[in-house]
Amino acid sequence: MSGNRPTIDPRLLPPDWSPDAAPPRRLRLLVLCMIPLSLWYFGWLLQPGRVGVPLLFGILVAAELFNLFQATGFWWTVTRRDRRRPAARRAASRDGTPPLVDVLIPTFDEPLPVLEPTVRAALEMRGARLVVSVLDDGCRPEVASMAARLGARYVAREESAGAKAGNINSALLSTGSPYVAVLDCDHVPRPEFLERTLEPMADERVAFVQTPQYYANSRRGGIAAAAWAQQALFFGAISRGKAADEAMFCCGTNVLFRRTALESVGGFPTDSITEDFVLSVKMHERGWETRYLPEVLAVGLGPEDMASYVGQQRRWARGCLGAIGRVLRARLPLRKRVHYLLSSAYFLSGWALLAYMSFPLIRIFTGAQPIAAASADQFVLHFAPYFCTALAMVVVAGRGTYTFAGFALAAATFWVQILASLAALTRRAGRFVVTPKQGAGARQPLAAAPTLLVIAALVVGSLWGLIHHRSPSTLNNVAFALLHVTVLASGARWALMRDGGPEPEADERAAEEEHPPRRDEQIAEAHR
């Protein structure tokens, strides 16, 4: 706090991000540049004379082809443009009255200060007759009391089978509105949420309308800001591109469903920890269409410490990788199948990064390398333009929101994807874990232990190489090793920092800069 002034909940401040409706023209120009650069690099790489140690060369080519698949899919996605006209009317009951909507807010152990603003805001949404239900799998008396005080319906199960999916399915059996909105307990909806999401529902082929997940605590910096940089790229250019092919999938919150669509697939699947992803596949199989509304209509919280971020990524990676078989078997049009595979296969990226980090150490300690020695000095000349232009594509597509911090955090958690893929391959059951909504306030070295071990190996290997071999080839590999160290250390540093929580005055400054004091009713509510 600052003096006696209470800290403002950042979710009650207006969002400072708005996804654009169309891709910038520069993206198409960059794609035109990427095509010849890709051909130049791979044309050089795949010549028989480039082979060093065959096994290492095969690993390098496999990693590069995987990245080319992901990059090509990214270019294709972000340059897509949805040419459909916006819905011109709202869905309404046949007698002209506002439609009935069940608003479901699942919760387990989140604290009341996180949950109560969501319930309060949900009850104030416009454009529909509401039944707001707090689905408490924690069976907490204080939550029941809060729901009764605010005028919401309280629902608790005797057992919590199926985690979040089971919680929602259970609530569907005791509700009956034709539309169902699902909000995670930390995502505070704006008053116009239903007004805007009901409009596309005028088309009775639409199963659900998904809106972005915006992290309000990103303005406080740290891991929340880095995680938001990743989310902003997905809910910006990537989601817009998926929507152009009617391939947008449900993201679990800030979404409005048509009940008949949910019933047609038997509700949320309880055999996956990414139930929203698998649900979307089943709906698309049934011929339902989906919509993405690129407007921030609910404001939530992102992970604030390394352990929370790792837990979130582990669940997403395990669920999406485990769904690859389901996607391959699904009866889907080719474009939709490719979109799902691109999203799932992203979580294999950790293997490619592991290979790249291993090559310098293998060369320093054994002398073996994937590319023949005679060609090694030409590698950077052919690779750098291709790689740098690919990074420029991401920066332009993200319109400045995708930061180095977001890139470094993803790189520093490469091992999460490796463990998740091994778990999916061995069919080890995943476990749904709720992402904590508040930082632990302590150092968490164990949450980044694999990354710290890799950093140590790269540093030791570099020092050993500089002491024993100072050839140009060794210096090149030491440079690559230290480049990896820089990126990994940037992403892992938050695990070694004592998280003091958000800056007390951060949200107050934001409120004062963006809006005249006391003209925002929601900010006034936060001060009471």
Side-chain angles (χ1 to χ4, degrees):
M1 295 186 180
S2 176
N4 294 322
R5 298 172 63 190
T7 301
I8 295 173
D9 186 331
R11 296 173 296 169
L12 302 182
L13 296 172
D16 57 3
W17 175 78
S18 177
D20 293 297
R25 293 181 180 178
R26 286 174 294 172
L27 283 178
R28 297 184 184 275
L29 293 176
L30 283 171
V31 169
L32 292 177
C33 293
M34 282 304 307
I35 294 173
L37 290 175
S38 301
L39 293 174
W40 191 47
Y41 171 57
F42 281 94
W44 173 86
L45 177 66
L46 298 178
Q47 293 179 21
R50 307 297 177 213
V51 181
V53 175
L55 176 60
L56 296 180
F57 183 79
I59 293 174
L60 173 63
V61 170
E64 291 289 57
L65 290 178
F66 169 78
N67 283 336
L68 181 63
F69 167 72
Q70 284 287 304
T72 304
F74 177 76
W75 307 334
W76 171 64
T77 300
V78 300
T79 53
R80 304 290 294 161
R81 184 167 184 171
D82 192 348
R83 300 184 182 278
R84 291 172 302 193
R85 294 182 178 180
R89 59 187 179 87
R90 292 184 298 172
S93 302
R94 291 181 179 178
D95 60 1
T97 59
L100 277 168
V101 178
D102 280 306
V103 181
L104 307 182
I105 306 174
T107 180
F108 178 62
D109 61 359
E110 296 84 356
L112 281 183
V114 170
L115 174 60
E116 183 168 338
T118 300
V119 179
R120 187 186 300 276
L123 290 163
E124 296 174 354
M125 289 190 294
R126 304 187 298 258
R129 292 172 290 159
L130 303 175
V131 180
V132 177
S133 299
V134 180
L135 314 182
D136 182 21
D137 261 3
C139 301
R140 294 167 291 171
E142 63 272 22
V143 176
S145 176
M146 179 270 294
R149 172 168 50 83
L150 296 180
R153 180 170 172 260
Y154 177 79
V155 182
R157 297 190 292 167
E158 294 183 359
E159 47 86 32
S160 57
K164 178 182 176 181
N167 196 1
I168 295 174
N169 287 342
S170 177
L172 290 174
L173 297 176
S174 62
T175 57
S177 300
Y179 302 102
V180 179
V182 176
L183 298 167
D184 277 357
C185 69
D186 63 303
H187 279 72
V188 176
R190 298 178 67 81
E192 65 272 21
F193 178 90
L194 291 176
E195 289 179 330
R196 298 292 293 120
T197 55
L198 279 167
E199 290 174 0
M201 286 293 187
D203 184 344
E204 296 192 355
R205 297 170 298 175
V206 174
F208 64 79
V209 180
Q210 179 67 57
T211 70
Q213 294 183 28
Y214 172 79
Y215 292 166
N217 53 345
S218 63
R219 70 180 78 217
R220 301 176 176 181
I223 282 187
W228 165 242
Q230 300 165 9
Q231 290 288 89
L233 181 64
F234 176 78
F235 283 108
I238 294 175
S239 293
R240 185 195 61 234
K242 289 182 179 297
D245 286 326
E246 297 182 357
M248 183 62 188
F249 53 81
C250 171
C251 299
T253 185
N254 309 346
V255 58
L256 178 70
F257 290 97
R258 190 183 303 275
R259 180 179 290 270
T260 52
L262 282 171
E263 292 174 344
S264 72
V265 297
F268 281 79
T270 57
D271 56 352
S272 172
I273 55 175
T274 49
E275 70 291 331
D276 41 13
F277 189 81
V278 176
L279 172 71
S280 305
V281 174
K282 296 172 70 174
M283 285 182 165
H284 278 134
E285 270 193 300
R286 291 270 183 162
W288 288 100
E289 295 183 4
T290 61
R291 296 287 186 269
Y292 175 61
L293 192 60
E295 299 178 26
V296 177
L297 296 173
V299 180
L301 300 172
E304 292 190 341
D305 58 39
M306 183 63 81
S308 299
Y309 178 80
V310 165
Q312 179 196 70
Q313 295 298 306
R314 182 185 292 123
R315 175 164 58 86
W316 290 357
R318 176 63 183 86
C320 289
L321 290 171
I324 288 179
R326 179 74 177 81
V327 172
L328 292 173
R329 296 190 303 270
R331 298 182 300 277
L332 293 173
L334 179 60
R335 284 186 175 183
K336 284 187 171 67
R337 191 190 305 273
V338 170
H339 277 292
Y340 277 108
L341 288 176
L342 285 169
S343 296
S344 298
Y346 163 77
F347 293 103
L348 294 172
S349 302
W351 288 102
L353 184 55
L354 178 62
Y356 297 143
M357 292 186 296
S358 301
F359 291 144
L361 292 179
I362 293 172
R363 171 61 183 83
I364 290 171
F365 286 117
T366 71
Q369 58 188 31
I371 297 177
S375 301
D377 58 346
Q378 302 174 31
F379 174 76
V380 174
L381 176 65
H382 289 81
F383 174 74
Y386 159 76
F387 180 71
C388 292
T389 307
L391 286 181
M393 278 282 295
V394 176
V395 172
V396 173
R399 296 180 182 265
T401 59
Y402 191 74
T403 62
F404 175 75
F407 170 76
L409 182 60
T413 50
F414 74 96
W415 57 273
V416 172
Q417 300 177 353
I418 292 175
L419 294 181
S421 60
L422 293 175
L425 188 63
T426 57
R427 298 189 177 182
R428 278 191 1 222
R431 187 167 65 93
F432 188 96
V433 178
V434 176
T435 302
K437 304 302 185 293
Q438 295 175 328
R443 296 184 179 91
Q444 299 174 323
L446 290 179
T451 309
L452 298 176
L453 289 174
V454 171
I455 291 173
L458 289 168
V459 171
V460 170
S462 298
L463 293 174
W464 192 92
L466 292 174
I467 292 172
H468 293 84
H469 306 288
R470 296 185 181 178
S471 65
S473 179
T474 298
L475 294 177
N476 286 339
N477 282 278
V478 167
F480 274 112
L482 295 181
L483 176 62
H484 289 305
V485 168
T486 300
V487 175
L488 294 178
S490 296
R493 72 183 189 275
W494 288 297
L496 303 179
M497 298 167 60
R498 184 178 299 279
D499 174 32
E503 292 185 32
E505 293 84 16
D507 301 316
E508 294 171 10
R509 287 199 303 268
E512 292 171 357
E513 292 172 2
E514 296 179 17
H515 298 278
R518 307 291 65 81
R519 293 190 64 183
D520 188 325
E521 295 180 1
Q522 291 179 316
I523 295 176
E525 176 66 27
H527 277 266
R528 291 173 187 166

